């Protein structure tokens, strides 16, 4: 994989603006592990190798068990391994990420809104939007995953 462009260097103002959203989310009421699970799932849906690598490493550093980490792509089949909030967040992340095909149905919104308060749901959706943007940067500019760079 060859990195096409280091977007954070050539356009630091834009990168800093996205970074400000990231920092805001770090201070939100949502658990860091929940946000990182959402970041990972969105990155998996979008096929961003750089982000999948980064968020997998982040979750492992936080102590997420490998057994749970490996089942993120198939969380629906993982039973009680994922909490109700995690399942709701992952479902919301998928439907929002796949907006062009899902249209984010009312039933999906109602399900997420029944678990998360208004601010939490807004922050969760900011996190999903942010990761979708970073995935597009990573894929478009071929950001090199740490696992590849260190190989």
């Amino acid at each position: 994989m060859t990195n096409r462009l280091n977007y954070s260097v050539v356009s630091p103002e834009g990168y800093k603006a996205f970074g400000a959203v990231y920092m805001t989310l770090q201070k939100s009421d949502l658990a860091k592990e929940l946000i990182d699970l959402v970041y990972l799932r969105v990155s998996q849906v979008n096929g961003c190798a750089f982000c999948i690598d980064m968020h997998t490493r982040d979750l492992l550093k936080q102590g997420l068990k490998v057994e749970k980490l490996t089942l993120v792509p198939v969380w629906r089949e993982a039973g009680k391994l994922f909490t109700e909030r995690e399942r709701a967040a992952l479902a919301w992340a998928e439907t929002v990420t796949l907006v062009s095909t899902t249209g984010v149905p009312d039933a999906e919104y109602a399900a997420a809104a029944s678990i998360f308060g208004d601010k939490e749901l807004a922050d969760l959706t900011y996190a999903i939007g942010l990761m979708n943007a970073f995935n597009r940067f990573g894929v478009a500019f071929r950001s090199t995953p740490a696992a590849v760079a260190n190989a």
Side-chain angles (χ1 to χ4, degrees):
M1 172 180 280
T2 303
N3 191 335
R4 292 177 173 167
L5 176 72
N6 188 339
Y7 61 91
S8 65
V9 171
V10 299
S11 182
E13 297 82 13
Y15 185 73
K16 286 177 188 172
F18 281 100
V21 175
Y22 176 83
M23 293 309 296
T24 297
L25 291 167
Q26 294 299 301
K27 297 179 230 167
S28 78
D29 291 337
L30 296 171
K32 181 167 176 31
E33 185 175 293
L34 179 74
I35 292 173
D36 285 336
L37 279 171
V38 165
Y39 287 163
L40 176 60
R41 185 64 192 127
V42 169
S43 299
Q44 290 170 338
V45 170
N46 288 323
C48 181
F50 178 86
C51 295
I52 291 169
D53 181 70
M54 178 173 50
H55 299 299
T56 297
R57 291 170 187 275
D58 289 346
L59 286 161
L60 287 170
K61 285 178 194 170
Q62 292 174 44
L64 187 73
K65 298 212 180 287
V66 171
E67 296 82 3
K68 187 171 183 176
L69 183 62
T70 59
L71 293 178
V72 171
V74 292
W75 61 269
R76 284 183 172 85
E77 287 84 40
K80 300 285 184 190
L81 189 59
F82 292 89
T83 68
E84 182 180 32
R85 283 176 66 82
E86 290 169 339
R87 290 192 305 270
L90 292 168
W92 185 245
E94 289 178 1
T95 196
V96 171
T97 297
L98 299 170
V99 65
S100 68
T101 55
T102 68
V104 188
D106 289 342
E108 295 283 342
Y109 173 77
S114 73
I115 302 295
F116 297 101
D118 290 350
K119 184 174 183 319
E120 287 179 320
L121 189 55
D123 288 345
L124 181 59
T125 308
Y126 286 136
I128 294 163
L130 178 68
M131 192 47 48
N132 272 285
F134 274 125
N135 290 165
R136 277 137 184 84
F137 300 143
V139 172
F141 298 128
R142 303 288 192 263
S143 299
T144 304
V148 173
N150 297 332

